[in-house]
């Protein structure tokens, strides 16, 4: 399985996980079958609300079968789910920790009610935030 993980830097499996999905400076693609991790810049990190280009690449382009992130907006989650891409949340500090959580079965599948690793519904932990794109 190929897993896409948003990161703040390009250090392979040592890349730090970004707090946000679409605005991450980089994306790591981890192949769980081979253990290979490649990192690429996010050319659309400065997009406006609802313009999350990684959703199109992952969902429509077959870039990955799953996404693991710390937090994701409602619209991005809905679009990925509609494209049959599974989305998980993880508090892992880096790509290696996320992959260890995956191997151990500790990843939590994201839902409309739980879109962030800390269990909050986004916007700084405010459960009443209605922003479609945190």
């Amino acid at each position: 399985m190929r897993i896409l993980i948003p990161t703040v830097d390009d250090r392979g499996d040592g890349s730090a996980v970004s707090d946000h999905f679409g605005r991450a400076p980089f994306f790591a693609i981890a192949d769980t079958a081979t253990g290979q991790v490649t990192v690429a810049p996010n050319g659309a990190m400065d997009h406006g609300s609802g313009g999350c280009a990684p959703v199109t690449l992952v969902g429509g382009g077959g870039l990955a079968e799953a996404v693991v992130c710390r937090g994701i907006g409602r619209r991005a989650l809905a679009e990925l789910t509609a494209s049959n891409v599974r989305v998980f949340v993880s508090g892992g500090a880096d790509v290696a920790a996320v992959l260890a959580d995956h191997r151990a079965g500790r990843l939590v599948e994201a839902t409309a009610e739980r879109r962030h690793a800390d269990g909050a519904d986004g916007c700084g932990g405010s459960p009443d935030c209605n922003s479609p794109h945190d």
Side-chain angles (χ1 to χ4, degrees), residues 103-129:
R103 284 189 298 275
R106 292 187 297 256
L107 293 177
V108 176
E109 193 141 11
T111 65
E113 294 77 30
R114 183 185 174 113
R115 299 177 293 112
H116 297 271
D118 62 5
D121 191 28
C123 299
S126 171
D128 60 353
C129 175

Side-chain angles (χ1 to χ4, degrees), residues 31-132:
D31 186 321
T32 61
T34 66
Q36 181 179 1
V37 175
T38 56
V39 181
N42 176 7
M45 69 180 266
D46 293 323
H47 66 277
S49 181
C52 202
V55 170
T56 304
L57 292 173
V58 177
L63 188 61
E65 291 83 32
V67 168
V68 179
C69 56
R70 284 197 182 150
I72 190 165
R74 286 180 183 89
R75 186 175 296 144
L77 175 61
E79 289 181 23
L80 287 167
T81 302
S83 296
N84 295 316
V85 174
R86 294 182 73 188
V87 179
F88 299 89
V89 292
S90 170
D94 59 24
V95 171
V98 167
L99 294 176
D101 283 346
H102 173 267
R103 284 189 298 275
R106 292 187 297 256
L107 293 177
V108 176
E109 193 141 11
T111 65
E113 294 77 30
R114 183 185 174 113
R115 299 177 293 112
H116 297 271
D118 62 5
D121 191 28
C123 299
S126 171
D128 60 353
C129 175
N130 290 319
S131 170

